[in-house]
Each structure stands twice: as C-alpha cells, then as structure tokens.
Amino acid sequence: MGMMRAIGLMSGTSMDGIDVAMVETDGIRVDRRGPCLSVPYAADFRRRIEVGLADAQAIGTREERPGTLAELERGLTMHHADAVKTFLDEYGIAQDSVDVIGFHGQTVLHRPEKGLTLQIGDGSLLARYTGIPVVSDMRANDMKHGGQGAPLVPVYHAALAMNLPPALEPGFGPVAFVNIGGISNVTFIACGQPPMAFDCGPGNMLIDQWMEQQAGVPFDDGGRIAGEGNADMAVVKRYLSAPFFAKDGPKSLDRGDFTLDGVAGMELSDGAATLAMLTAAAIVKSAERLEVPPALWIVSGGGVRNRAIMASLRAVAGRGVVIATAGEAGFNADMMEAEAWAYLAVRSMKGLPLTFPTTTGCDRPVTGGVSCRPI
C-alpha cells in the first residue's frame, strides 16, 4: 500500500452534524487535502443524541447499549452513510476510487480514569452501505495500553508540519499547534521526535463565563470588550501558580478546574483583558519544558476570533516568534479533525502508531482501530 485516498468522518461534541473530508496520504506524508463538506443534523436527531448521552451514563462495559443507544447507533451510522454519498455526489468522486473511510462515530462516554471510552457507530454497517472499507473505534486500543484515549490528532499535526508554506518554515525548531476552545490544548512537533500534546490552560471558557456573569452575553465578540481593558498581570501570575501548570504532560483539564475567583470585583473590560492574557500566557508557558522553544505557533479554534487573545499571545511570545492562524498556514481549521480521521485510518491499515506516551500517556507507541470490509 502506497499513497491512499481516504475519507474522514467526524461528529463532535457539538452534535451539530458530520464533517466529511478527504486526504491522500501514505500514512506519513499528506500529499493532498480536500475536498470537504459539512452535513448538519436535523434538530430532532440532535435531541436523540442528547437522550443517548443520558442513557450512556448507565454503561459499565463497551458492549452495552442501554436505553435508546442501539437504535441511535444504527441511525447515526446511516446518517454517516448518507453523508458519504452526498460528499461523493457533490464532488463527482467514484466510490471505488476511495480506499478507506475513517469513522470516528459519536462519543457518548469517555472515562479515561476507568479505561472506558465509547464512540457509537457500526463500522461494518457503514462499510456495507457505502461499499468502502471502514476503520473505526480508534481510541480503545490506546486505553488498553494505559493511555487516556485522547488526543489522537497530534500525529496528524506532525504530518501537517511537513507541509508548511515556505514563509512559515521554522527551520529545525519545534512547531506548536494550538487549539483554543473552552480549554486550550497544544501539540509540539520537533524534528525526529514523536509529537507531544496536552491541555495547557483555560481557553475561551473563563472569558465566556465572565461575560455571561457580568454582562449577560455569552462571549466577548471578537475580543472587543477585552480590547478596551487592561490586564492585571499580578492576577495572571496567581492563576499560573496553580499546581496544574507545574505538571508534566500528558495532562488534561476539566471545565471546573479554574474559576472566576481571581477576577472577582474587577471592571468588565479589565476582567476580560486579564482572562485573555491568562489564556495567552498559559499557552506560551506550556513550552517551558522544551529544550528549544517553538519559533512558530499555529492557532485554531474559536479563540482565533478573539483579537485580544491573539494580541496577547503575540505580546507574550515575544519578538522573532511567529503566531499564525491555521488559515494563514494553509490549513482548514474547521476540517482538521475530519482530515485527521482519514489520515489515522490509513495509519491503522498500515499498522503505524496512532498515539504515543507523549500524547496520551500510553505505555508505548500503539496503533488502533477496527477494520471492516464491505460484504
């Protein structure tokens, strides 16, 4: 097996639909990315997933499908089959020209402390209805080897780092991929080494909570409010003294691990500016244990749209360090996970590692996934 054409399917925690993306890869380098498509779920199907999430709390083993889960799993699989057909029709791609589908499924339960994760979705059913081989269930084997089952995208970040535009080529220094969602996470890519990845601090989470609490709005649109304020660096330093920041990775955060106590009593814009600076400072602090700091940070996620976070990140990173959005680097931030699942499916078929001790905490580099062929 040389270069392969793969489709990746991602249905994420937002439960708003299915992202479909294609890559051509040999499991190491990515020769071509795209095209891609988003297929939204209808409101009633999103409600069915919400019910399924509640039913999944009763699960004790990965084989169990209590309540509505068995019916939901079939329905979700058929939605993915329809999404593949729509994608192929939209772009005039022949079904027999696709080598494999990487099928994430829908996470309904993830308890790494118990070695338990479940992404519902029937790989054999999807293979049968699409007529294309499918690789699914790519997190479980990592957990069997002591990993947390996440993140799986870092090895794809490493492949993307091979295809940077010349203007962003950092030479031999590490490249950092940052995703600023509710919580920020980072992947460090250094030449000749496995990727290193972990949660690095609050992302948009505290800013959103602050805006809701103080102004009754769900977020700081574009970072406008934070841009009008002044960050209190003493407060930022107190946040950064939390034990979490002294831990080595892999490590992860829960939404309740940081609170608004540090900014209590501050004026609205100053509080927003301080929390934006905290997000930026935590990201840069994550590189402290590297022998050579990154010369390039590639940023994706909702935090990219917050100009105060991005300005703070550039200020904290300092001169000579390039802060680029995923779009500026030539990547599609909205489709990165779907592309990653296509890439991971090819790696799975070739027996290549999906996860590493430095990304999930597994005991050794491990492959994963269950392969199903059309019957």
Side-chain angles (χ1 to χ4, degrees):
M1 294 183 289
M3 198 63 64
M4 301 177 70
R5 205 177 201 193
I7 289 174
L9 302 175
M10 170 56 65
S11 178
T13 54
S14 62
M15 302 180 297
D16 55 358
I18 302 164
D19 289 335
V20 188
M22 176 173 281
V23 300
E24 294 179 23
T25 177
D26 60 0
I28 299 173
R29 300 190 70 91
V30 175
D31 189 60
R32 184 171 179 270
R33 298 171 27 253
C36 57
L37 183 73
S38 289
V39 180
Y41 289 138
D44 63 336
F45 192 74
R46 290 199 300 272
R47 286 192 290 271
R48 286 178 61 189
I49 296 175
E50 290 170 356
V51 172
L53 291 174
D55 290 342
Q57 298 308 303
I59 289 174
T61 67
R62 299 186 73 250
E63 294 71 32
E64 296 176 17
R65 299 292 188 273
T68 63
L69 280 181
E71 181 183 355
L72 176 63
E73 184 164 42
R74 180 178 176 83
L76 183 107
T77 303
M78 296 310 298
H79 272 72
H80 280 72
D82 290 342
V84 171
K85 183 179 186 305
T86 299
F87 175 78
L88 296 177
D89 290 346
E90 175 83 13
Y91 293 104
I93 299 169
Q95 167 254 315
D96 59 5
S97 73
V98 180
D99 296 296
V100 65
I101 294 171
F103 181 26
H104 178 268
Q106 182 70 50
T107 298
V108 294
L109 192 72
H110 187 69
R111 294 177 179 166
E113 72 282 359
K114 296 184 178 180
L116 180 62
T117 188
L118 178 60
Q119 290 73 44
I120 58 170
D122 187 333
S124 61
L125 181 64
L126 183 63
R128 186 160 71 248
Y129 272 86
T130 60
I132 301 170
V134 170
V135 176
S136 60
D137 199 16
M138 292 192 231
R139 299 186 188 272
N141 196 44
D142 176 77
M143 282 194 163
K144 290 179 182 178
H145 289 271
Q148 299 182 64
L152 267 67
V153 178
V155 72
Y156 182 58
H157 287 154
L160 292 180
M162 299 179 191
N163 294 318
L164 292 170
L168 293 180
E169 182 57 54
F172 292 100
V175 177
F177 284 80
V178 183
N179 180 69
I180 307 177
I183 291 167
S184 296
N185 53 71
V186 64
T187 300
F188 294 114
I189 309 297
C191 185
Q193 299 179 26
M196 179 190 303
F198 47 88
D199 286 349
C200 57
N204 302 310
M205 172 182 68
L206 291 182
I207 302 172
D208 293 349
Q209 292 174 8
W210 176 251
M211 295 302 297
E212 181 69 40
Q213 181 191 94
Q214 299 295 315
V217 295
F219 60 94
D220 184 6
D221 189 11
R224 182 181 62 82
I225 299 299
E228 296 172 355
N230 296 300
D232 187 326
M233 295 307 298
V235 172
V236 172
K237 288 179 181 178
R238 283 198 291 273
Y239 271 112
L240 294 179
S241 68
F244 171 82
F245 295 106
K247 295 179 183 176
D248 291 327
K251 57 184 178 179
S252 59
L253 279 171
D254 183 74
R255 291 185 67 85
D257 287 343
F258 288 91
T259 71
L260 295 176
D261 290 351
V263 292
M266 294 181 71
E267 190 272 331
L268 175 65
S269 61
D270 289 345
T274 300
L275 295 172
M277 179 59 75
L278 169 63
T279 295
I283 289 168
V284 174
K285 187 176 178 63
S286 68
E288 284 184 346
R289 286 174 172 76
L290 299 181
E291 292 183 9
V292 179
L296 170 64
W297 297 78
I298 298 173
V299 189
S300 61
V304 169
R305 293 185 284 273
N306 186 310
R307 290 185 293 276
I309 291 178
M310 295 299 288
S312 297
L313 188 54
R314 291 186 172 96
V316 176
R319 295 179 62 183
V321 178
V322 177
I323 307 294
T325 67
E328 290 167 345
F331 306 136
N332 187 336
D334 294 332
M335 287 291 162
M336 199 171 284
E337 285 191 298
E339 290 176 358
W341 244 254
Y343 178 76
L344 290 166
V346 174
R347 288 185 68 87
S348 175
M349 293 183 77
K350 296 189 175 191
L352 296 169
L354 308 187
T355 57
F356 302 83
T358 51
T359 59
T360 66
C362 53
D363 56 19
R364 59 181 175 82
V366 292
T367 189
V370 175
S371 296
C372 300
R373 293 194 170 275
I375 298 174

